[in-house]
Amino acid sequence: MTRTTPAGTPLGDDFHVYDTTLRDGAQREGISYSAADKLAVARLLDELGVGFIEGGWPGALPKDTEFFARAAEGELELKHAALVAFGSTRKAGTTAAEDPQVRALLDSQAPVVTLVAKSDLRHIKLALKTDVDEACEMVRDTVAFLVGEGRRVFLDAEHFFDGYAYDSDTALRVLTAGVDGGADVVVLCDTNGGQLPLQLADTVREVIDRTGFRVGIHCQDDTSCAVANSIAAVQAGATHVQCTANGYGERAGNADLFAVVGNLVTKLGMPVLPTECVPELTRVSHALAEIANLAPDTHQAYVGSSAFAHKAGLHASAIKVDPELYNHIDPAVVGNDMRVLVTEMAGRASLELKGRELGVDLASRPAALSGAVRKVKEMEARGWSFEAADASLELLLRAQVAEADQSPVDTPPFVLESYRVILDHHVGGTVVSEATVKVHVAGERVIATAEGNGPVHALDAALRKALVPHLPWLDQVELADYKVRILTEHPGTDAVTRVLVESTDGQREWTTVGVHGNIVEASWLALCDALVHKALRVSTSVS
């Protein structure tokens, strides 16, 4: 807990990856971390190898105070990072030693403190209601006091770029006050997020030339340029970059830690994380999204599940020859995978590559490959989509291989005789669905009835009731997600419904699809595919 510099980072203290997910990132609408969540987030960030983890604002927020207390008591052991407490400079008209908020920073026992200070003349006059001399003394006095107490101090110059454009002398006086007090880094903050890369880089370069100070960068994403601005600042001489996991933050968010690090490592050749940590980028990104209770951004650069997903047949043909022809890096470098998406745009190369990914050999079976291409195009013309339903696609491809080889198709775990769903609306508004299924399983005819809070839930419950005595592995399978889409090309009451069902057995997840004019039948098709796919894995001992 006493470390003030990054440990195990190839560049050491010469370059800082500074994470502020737990403070600035927590300001995103919809995110509310408990103290336990904050500890879990900090551990993951430390596993990733970031240099500094800003834990929050002790003394201002009770959860942040609790987090630092629990960290100090031994609940947070950091291998790579130094823990940072965030706070403001002392108030006007007092001293840092007498300011309770500054005292709270010391009480947090964090070895590093980041202080925020107004650097825009307009904010100094209108928000602080003081003059520039006093504002600078507030900075110098607070920094000097904390340094004197053994803390390493960084200064966040709030609204710096707007303030520098309005009155550069005032903005630089604030930086100078921080350095005079003993601050190691002055961080130029694009607080309103309005900068563009070229103008921001010019300002960073000019500030370094005029002052010689060590400069950091903190960018908001209001122009969708936070990552680009951060990289531009580094190229202009900044050696400390502040980010948040997955770009979390207020308004449009902050610079995304994973995109910034991905660019620094793979594009600029800067080893800003321990070498063994770079392949953890994707895993940590998704784990942090889970803690934030937000779905991972599938299209996020470097770490999104679609970041290296290819849809066009032309792309797939080139990838078959050399994956680097359409991938800007090897996905494995950041712990991701390449995927080939199968849609109506798919050609032979797409399906051959997808088959290889799913463990189905189509390369040596041209007839099966041709049949699969034809079948996919026919089904997608009727509203099916296999782009996000790999499990259903695998079953289709295996069926095509069996047909081409004139070999028996894998025996399904059950055969449907019929099903029926009844919807009861009771007095008082209670609605109950009841489903009855008749299936043949393990040589027996089984009839089962169950209720549910909707027709699909009732159908799933009845099917499980019928099958569990014969298929004990079914107890492991749960319905993880259920999505319905009404296809717009079939409007009105004759519309076609597409259902995606995501299932899990606790070890892996798989997605199946069903399409029909009736939502219950579409759901049934997807549910059946989910169980057939699991049965295939069980029969081949693939978990």
Side-chain angles (χ1 to χ4, degrees):
M1 289 296 298
T2 59
R3 184 184 304 116
T4 61
T5 58
T9 328
L11 295 180
D13 200 36
D14 292 337
F15 190 92
H16 298 165
V17 175
Y18 180 111
D19 182 89
T20 178
T21 302
L22 294 175
R23 201 271 308 172
D24 221 6
Q27 296 185 59
R28 171 172 167 149
E29 186 175 4
I31 288 182
S32 179
Y33 293 123
S34 66
D37 289 337
K38 292 169 76 73
L39 289 166
V41 169
R43 293 186 188 106
L44 282 166
L45 291 168
D46 186 56
E47 287 178 22
L48 190 62
V50 303
F52 297 89
I53 298 172
E54 188 177 275
W57 192 327
L61 298 172
K63 283 189 293 188
D64 290 0
T65 302
E66 180 187 350
F67 164 77
F68 282 103
R70 291 173 65 172
E73 289 167 1
E75 289 192 52
L76 184 62
E77 294 293 333
L78 298 178
K79 177 182 178 183
H80 296 110
L83 187 62
V84 184
F86 179 89
S88 66
T89 59
R90 68 160 172 82
K91 298 185 184 307
T94 184
T95 66
E98 297 169 336
D99 192 303
Q101 193 277 140
V102 176
R103 280 288 174 186
L105 295 173
L106 289 178
D107 293 342
S108 75
Q109 299 185 48
V112 183
V113 173
T114 292
L115 292 171
V116 62
K118 305 289 186 185
S119 58
D120 185 329
L121 177 61
R122 294 163 295 186
H123 283 262
I124 290 171
K125 289 182 175 179
L126 299 176
L128 295 181
K129 294 182 169 48
T130 189
D131 58 32
V132 175
D133 289 340
E134 174 63 9
C136 289
E137 182 55 25
M138 290 159 61
V139 171
R140 190 208 60 76
D141 178 35
T142 310
V143 173
F145 173 73
L146 291 170
V147 170
E149 293 291 329
R151 302 302 191 268
R152 185 176 190 182
V153 178
F154 302 144
L155 181 73
D156 275 4
E158 191 180 31
H159 298 283
F160 180 82
F161 292 93
D162 296 330
Y164 189 82
Y166 180 75
D167 185 329
S168 62
D169 290 341
T170 294
L172 292 180
R173 282 187 63 187
V174 172
L175 300 187
T176 301
V179 172
D180 287 348
D184 285 342
V185 180
V186 286
V187 183
L188 314 185
C189 299
D190 183 19
T191 309
N192 289 340
Q195 295 294 301
L196 297 176
L198 293 180
Q199 69 190 60
L200 179 139
D202 287 343
T203 301
V204 170
R205 194 175 294 110
E206 186 173 305
V207 169
I208 294 172
D209 289 343
R210 290 181 66 178
T211 66
F213 297 160
R214 182 172 187 180
V215 163
I217 187 69
H218 176 114
C219 295
Q220 301 293 131
D221 201 34
D222 297 77
T223 59
S224 287
C225 289
V227 171
N229 284 339
S230 299
I231 299 301
V234 171
Q235 291 178 310
T239 59
H240 168 117
V241 60
Q242 297 191 358
C243 312
T244 63
N246 303 320
Y248 298 153
E250 64 180 336
R251 305 191 312 277
N254 288 47
D256 177 9
L257 169 70
F258 302 101
V260 169
V261 167
N263 285 329
L264 293 176
V265 172
T266 69
K267 304 305 179 183
L268 299 185
M270 298 176 62
V272 298
L273 296 183
T275 304
E276 69 275 12
C277 295
V278 177
E280 299 298 312
L281 284 169
T282 299
R283 177 187 67 84
V284 172
S285 168
H286 295 178
L288 291 172
E290 289 296 323
I291 296 173
N293 198 27
L294 296 172
D297 180 358
T298 57
H299 297 279
Q300 187 176 355
Y302 289 100
V303 297
S305 60
S306 296
F308 301 95
H310 301 276
K311 186 170 181 176
L314 180 62
H315 285 214
S317 297
I319 288 168
K320 183 180 173 183
V321 177
D322 183 350
E324 292 186 2
L325 293 176
Y326 271 99
N327 286 325
H328 70 104
I329 63 166
D330 177 359
V333 170
V334 293
N336 210 337
D337 294 311
M338 184 184 76
R339 293 191 301 128
V340 177
L341 306 179
V342 173
T343 71
E344 74 282 355
M345 298 173 65
R348 295 176 66 87
S350 293
L351 270 180
E352 183 181 330
L353 286 169
K354 191 65 182 181
R356 184 189 308 168
E357 180 184 318
L358 297 173
V360 181
D361 178 19
L362 296 174
S364 63
R365 296 178 172 89
L369 180 56
S370 296
V373 171
R374 182 171 58 254
K375 186 72 171 177
V376 166
K377 291 183 182 292
E378 288 174 357
M379 293 181 71
E380 296 228 351
R382 302 199 307 269
W384 292 74
S385 175
F386 298 99
E387 188 171 340
D390 280 2
S392 288
L393 178 63
E394 181 182 343
L395 296 177
L396 183 154
L397 296 182
R398 290 188 182 279
Q400 291 298 313
V401 167
E403 181 179 327
D405 291 352
Q406 297 184 336
S407 60
V409 180
D410 293 319
T411 303
F414 63 93
V415 176
L416 173 70
E417 179 181 314
S418 67
Y419 71 76
R420 179 179 63 184
V421 179
I422 300 172
L423 192 68
D424 286 333
H425 184 277
H426 298 284
V427 175
T430 303
V431 179
V432 178
S433 296
E434 180 183 282
T436 300
V437 298
K438 300 177 183 180
V439 296
H440 296 265
V441 55
E444 295 184 26
R445 181 174 184 261
V446 182
I447 302 175
T449 300
E451 293 183 343
N453 56 17
V456 177
H457 183 217
L459 197 58
D460 181 54
L463 183 59
R464 289 172 178 275
K465 189 175 180 180
L467 298 181
V468 163
H470 304 276
L471 304 173
W473 50 260
L474 188 57
D475 272 338
Q476 306 168 10
V477 179
E478 296 180 359
L479 182 65
D481 200 4
Y482 175 84
K483 297 184 178 74
V484 178
R485 182 179 175 192
I486 307 300
L487 304 183
T488 55
E489 58 265 35
H490 302 276
T493 56
D494 294 328
V496 172
T497 302
R498 180 192 297 150
V499 169
L500 286 174
V501 167
E502 184 179 309
S503 304
T504 180
D505 58 9
Q507 300 296 318
R508 52 184 292 272
E509 296 179 347
W510 63 98
T511 304
T512 50
V513 62
V515 174
H516 197 271
N518 185 293
I519 186 174
V520 177
E521 176 64 12
S523 303
W524 172 262
L525 294 172
L527 287 170
C528 287
D529 266 9
L531 300 188
V532 171
H533 186 267
K534 173 61 180 179
L536 174 66
R537 287 293 187 269
V538 171
S539 66
T540 56
S541 299
V542 177
S543 62

